[in-house]
Amino acid sequence: MTQAILALHGGAGTIARQRMTSDKERAFVDAITGILARGQALLAEGAPALEVVTQVVVLLEDCPLFNAGHGAVYTSAATHELDAAIMDGHTLAAGAV
């Protein structure tokens, strides 16, 4: 049996250590841990991988702590450049924006 592995990250950019309080760090850890737990629960329930990934990405994008979707980092030209892609490994069907 194949064991699924779920890896997450909350977006790009840098948070300077001097701007990170222990309360803020705990909020980030709690949020990403909760999102990971939801993905793991979906996998344990037998949800298809594509559905799990989609749900986890929606949760990341809806969480104001991460800049995956909300609060994207500005480019040097003061614009936002966002992209997203997803692929079904079984069918190799893919979509991107």
Side-chain angles (χ1 to χ4, degrees):
M1 172 150 197
T2 303
Q3 181 176 350
I5 296 174
L6 192 57
L8 309 179
H9 73 84
T14 302
I15 300 172
R17 181 50 77 185
Q18 61 269 24
R19 295 184 64 205
M20 180 62 75
T21 66
S22 59
D23 288 343
K24 190 182 284 188
E25 184 174 7
R26 174 60 28 211
F28 276 92
V29 170
D30 288 349
I32 199 91
T33 301
I35 293 168
L36 179 60
R38 179 64 185 138
Q40 290 171 322
L42 288 168
L43 287 170
E45 294 166 9
L50 189 60
E51 179 183 328
V52 174
V53 169
T54 301
Q55 291 299 314
V56 167
V57 169
V58 167
L59 292 171
L60 282 168
E61 288 181 345
D62 286 346
C63 181
L65 293 173
F66 303 110
N67 63 7
H70 292 282
V73 176
Y74 282 98
T75 66
S76 60
T79 61
H80 287 121
E81 296 178 9
L82 305 170
D83 60 46
I86 194 163
M87 175 183 261
D88 183 328
H90 290 290
T91 65
L92 301 183
V97 293

